Amino acid sequence: MMKLIEEVLVPAGHGRAFRVPRGALLEIVDVEGQQVADFISIREDNRTEWLSATHTRSTTLRLNLGVGDRLQTNWRRDIYEVIQDDVGMHDLITSMCDARRYRLDYGVEDHRSCRSNFLEALKPWGYEEWQIPDVINIFQNAPIRADRTFGNEIPTSKPGDKFVMRALLDGLVAAISACPQDLNPCNGFHPSPILARIVQDHASKPEEG
Ligand SMILES: [Zn+2]
């Protein structure tokens, strides 16, 4: 039996943070399509452990995510398991956008960024900018080429496409930035909202965290 715990609409170009209980499902929905959801997760009860893109790559030995993958913390523990993936193209390489990126690469001051979105969203948890961990870019289309360079293209996600994970640890806070990048193809040149649904799945037997 599934029970909706919380629904969080992340407005286009903004960020939100929320708790995900162990065993619950986190559904990340690309509402309008072609939108990247920058994703980070931290442990509320232990500030030294967080979702790590590096450790996830090193464990799965792939530069994409798919059903059955177990995302890793910096302490090499399973933090989320991928349950459903409607898109099949995600990015574990590219850093999140920040004010410096818009200033240095595009000459734009005061552009919203994923980094400032996470800082705003994690304010209730007292996070400083330097504590924001590395990101996983759900729905980002960064194809790997034969010469090991990688691209940055319009996402293939369609309206309503979902990426669903199960939380495997206690005390998790997740944060999503509906990436505000409108100056390159990564959000189809049109930033749009992301919907997060936290669902209790009573059929599940969460592992010990
Ligand atoms: Zn961004």
Side-chain angles (χ1 to χ4, degrees):
M1 196 180 82
M2 307 280 248
K3 179 171 168 263
L4 181 67
I5 299 173
E6 192 181 359
E7 199 165 66
V8 180
L9 182 66
V10 186
H14 288 68
R16 293 286 185 272
F18 44 87
R19 293 182 173 90
V20 187
R22 184 162 62 96
L25 299 181
L26 170 56
E27 300 184 352
I28 299 172
V29 184
D30 187 348
V31 179
E32 297 180 16
Q34 301 186 348
Q35 174 63 44
V36 171
D38 281 55
F39 181 74
I40 62 174
S41 191
I42 59 175
R43 280 191 65 195
E44 189 167 32
D45 53 346
N46 185 339
R47 295 292 174 94
T48 70
E49 188 170 29
W50 54 81
L51 166 64
S52 166
T54 302
H55 293 85
T56 300
R57 291 191 303 261
S58 301
T59 301
T60 62
L61 301 176
R62 285 190 297 116
L63 297 175
N64 198 358
L65 293 171
V67 171
D69 283 350
R70 290 186 156 219
L71 281 60
Q72 299 293 299
T73 72
N74 58 315
W75 284 6
R76 296 185 183 275
R77 295 204 300 160
D78 298 346
I79 179 170
Y80 292 97
E81 180 178 3
V82 181
I83 300 295
Q84 180 185 336
D85 175 15
D86 294 342
V87 177
M89 178 64 93
H90 313 282
D91 170 53
L92 291 166
I93 308 169
T94 315
S95 60
M96 69 181 79
C97 64
D98 53 44
R100 285 169 286 275
R101 162 87 160 131
Y102 291 102
R103 191 165 63 239
L104 295 173
D105 295 347
Y106 300 96
V108 177
E109 298 287 343
D110 300 324
H111 198 292
R112 293 196 68 86
S113 72
C114 288
R115 198 164 184 86
S116 55
N117 284 346
F118 286 132
L119 195 58
E120 281 175 15
L122 290 172
K123 208 166 201 159
W125 286 273
Y127 268 67
E128 311 261 352
E129 186 173 358
W130 63 268
Q131 292 174 297
I132 297 171
D134 210 0
V135 74
I136 284 178
N137 300 301
I138 295 166
F139 307 132
Q140 182 151 332
N141 185 359
I144 318 286
R145 307 185 189 103
D147 64 356
R148 297 173 64 83
T149 62
F150 60 95
N152 179 16
E153 299 180 4
I154 293 177
T156 57
S157 47
K158 295 182 291 300
D161 276 351
K162 265 187 209 177
F163 184 82
V164 183
M165 296 178 284
R166 185 187 308 285
L168 302 177
L169 294 178
D170 284 315
L172 293 182
V173 172
I176 291 173
S177 169
C179 179
Q181 175 59 272
D182 53 356
L183 302 168
N184 75 34
C186 77
N187 300 304
F189 298 99
H190 177 69
S192 58
I194 292 287
L195 180 67
R197 299 177 82 246
I198 303 101
V199 179
Q200 193 67 58
D201 174 7
H202 292 288
S204 78
K205 290 193 187 68
E207 294 164 30
E208 287 307 308

